Amino acid sequence: MAGPRVTRKWRPKMAFVVYAVLLAVLALPIVIVLWFRAIDAASGRMAPAEIGALAGALALTLGIAYVLTRTITGPIHALIARTDEIARGGKKAIVPLESYGTHEIATLSQSFLDLSSKLVDRTDYVRSFAAHVSHELKSPLTAIRGAAELLRDDDATGPMTAEERRNFLDNIIADSERLGRLLARLRELARAELPTEKGETRLSELVAWLAGRFPALGVESRAASDIPLPLPFEAASIVLGNLADNADQHGATRLELIFSADDGLTMLRVRDNGRGISDGNRALIFQPFFSTRREQGGTGMGLDIVRAVLNAHGGTIRLGDASNPGVEFEIRLPG
């Protein structure tokens, strides 16, 4: 669906408005001179002072025109040209202009560059994500189709045993369940990336919720007081629920929440005592669909959902120091 369009009607160009104003400025002394000449019609020639006044007005008008061209119309035309260039060339065309003219145009240009970078990055992410989704869906679909074709082609000349038939049916069910989990995760990711209302959640609420959902984990919190986390409960439960689930699946028996807030920045470190992450996998864990538990049904989308939720609230997540046993994630949120 096409986006909103500007109503098409005649509008004067900025250059026309600017130069019309300048011509009006230039015409004012001319009109004054002609007015006084009409009153004093006896003098047949223009006085030197009158000629000087008109020349000065012309020079001043041309000077103002040059300044306005350099500071307003020129940078705006350059910004329009850069917009078209980015639309054709992508991220390589996202470079600053040579001149901005005024503070307001420089601010507008910076906002435009930031927005363009985000849109191009988003396009690259969607393209990469679509390729990953296609790959992840292809494997179980291929397995289901192969098993179904073998079951369809089974005949009396070489019939399958009951055990073989059951194995094929079990594979179909297992792959169907995997597709269901992938689709459920994709729906969660779609919801996580939608803008959400702001809110706060007490750390004690989250600790109680985690303890009830993951009874095998000893959930502890370390904070100076029950400071609120600047996330609504639904978003906070998605973030911490996925991190706790990863810890539980990797053999952790303790989950520690270390909370601090200072100078408008909230930091939450989530630390477990599980098996940890190998050096080779540390650079891969935030990639969509990367999972060390694929055989056990892992989809590899949990951390991607966590990052999407935090991004929607202006936050970030990164993997902590590898020197500690287990895994530590550091979450930063504004507020």
Side-chain angles (χ1 to χ4, degrees):
M1 183 178 65
R5 305 287 297 177
V6 177
T7 304
R8 296 180 62 87
K9 65 179 182 180
W10 183 86
R11 295 181 178 88
K13 293 185 177 180
M14 179 177 289
F16 175 81
V17 174
V18 169
Y19 293 125
V21 172
L22 292 174
L23 288 175
V25 173
L26 176 62
L28 182 60
I30 296 176
V31 171
I32 293 174
V33 169
L34 292 177
W35 172 260
F36 283 106
R37 293 295 295 170
I39 294 177
D40 190 10
S43 58
R45 296 169 55 186
M46 295 181 65
E50 295 173 334
I51 297 175
L54 293 178
L58 177 61
L60 180 61
T61 302
L62 293 176
I64 296 174
Y66 174 78
V67 171
L68 291 177
T69 301
R70 288 281 297 175
T71 59
I72 298 179
T73 58
I76 289 179
H77 287 153
L79 188 58
I80 293 172
R82 184 58 49 80
T83 304
D84 295 336
E85 186 180 354
I86 291 174
R88 294 190 303 270
K91 196 165 188 175
K92 64 182 180 181
I94 303 178
V95 294
L97 300 177
E98 295 181 0
S99 173
Y100 294 107
T102 66
H103 172 75
E104 290 77 10
I105 294 178
T107 303
L108 174 64
S109 299
Q110 185 59 58
S111 300
F112 167 75
L113 290 176
D114 293 341
L115 178 60
S116 299
S117 297
K118 289 180 180 179
L119 289 176
V120 172
D121 289 342
R122 185 64 178 171
T123 300
D124 293 341
Y125 170 79
V126 170
R127 186 183 297 113
S128 174
F129 187 79
H132 280 96
V133 170
S134 300
H135 175 74
E136 290 295 320
L137 294 179
K138 183 178 180 180
S139 297
L141 285 174
T142 301
I144 290 173
R145 179 175 179 176
E149 288 176 348
L150 289 172
L151 289 171
R152 181 195 62 188
D153 296 338
D154 184 32
D155 54 31
T157 59
M160 293 182 184
T161 65
E163 183 180 356
E164 289 175 335
R165 182 177 294 275
R166 182 175 182 82
N167 285 338
F168 281 123
L169 292 173
D170 287 344
N171 289 337
I172 290 176
I173 293 172
D175 286 323
S176 299
E177 290 175 347
R178 174 167 176 76
L179 287 175
R181 287 193 297 270
L182 281 171
L183 293 175
R185 284 297 203 175
L186 287 173
R187 287 194 295 270
E188 289 180 21
L189 182 60
R191 288 198 301 269
E193 293 186 332
L194 291 175
T196 56
E197 295 182 359
K198 294 184 178 180
E200 294 181 342
T201 307
R202 294 283 173 180
L203 197 59
S204 57
E205 297 179 57
L206 293 172
V207 171
W209 178 80
L210 289 171
R213 182 174 175 184
F214 302 96
L217 281 176
V219 183
E220 304 173 1
S221 66
R222 286 169 49 187
S225 60
D226 192 15
I227 307 173
L229 188 69
L231 285 175
F233 182 80
E234 181 181 3
S237 61
I238 291 174
V239 170
L240 294 181
N242 276 284
L243 296 181
D245 184 57
N246 284 343
D248 188 44
Q249 296 296 334
H250 287 83
T253 58
R254 188 178 73 253
L255 187 72
E256 193 174 13
L257 308 180
I258 306 168
F259 189 88
S260 62
D262 186 33
D263 294 333
L265 178 67
T266 297
M267 182 185 299
L268 178 64
R269 294 201 300 273
V270 182
R271 180 186 299 167
D272 68 56
N273 64 340
R275 289 188 292 271
I277 300 173
S278 67
D279 293 338
N281 289 337
R282 289 181 65 84
L284 303 175
I285 62 169
F286 286 107
Q287 290 185 5
F289 303 105
F290 173 77
S291 175
T292 59
R293 297 180 53 258
R294 192 168 298 277
E295 293 76 13
Q296 291 77 34
T299 61
M301 296 184 64
L303 289 178
D304 208 31
I305 293 172
V306 168
R307 186 165 57 177
V309 171
L310 292 173
N311 284 341
H313 291 83
T316 60
I317 182 172
R318 73 176 187 88
L319 188 59
D321 192 353
S323 61
N324 297 320
V327 179
E328 179 178 302
F329 289 98
E330 182 179 282
I331 296 172
R332 293 173 178 262
L333 287 161

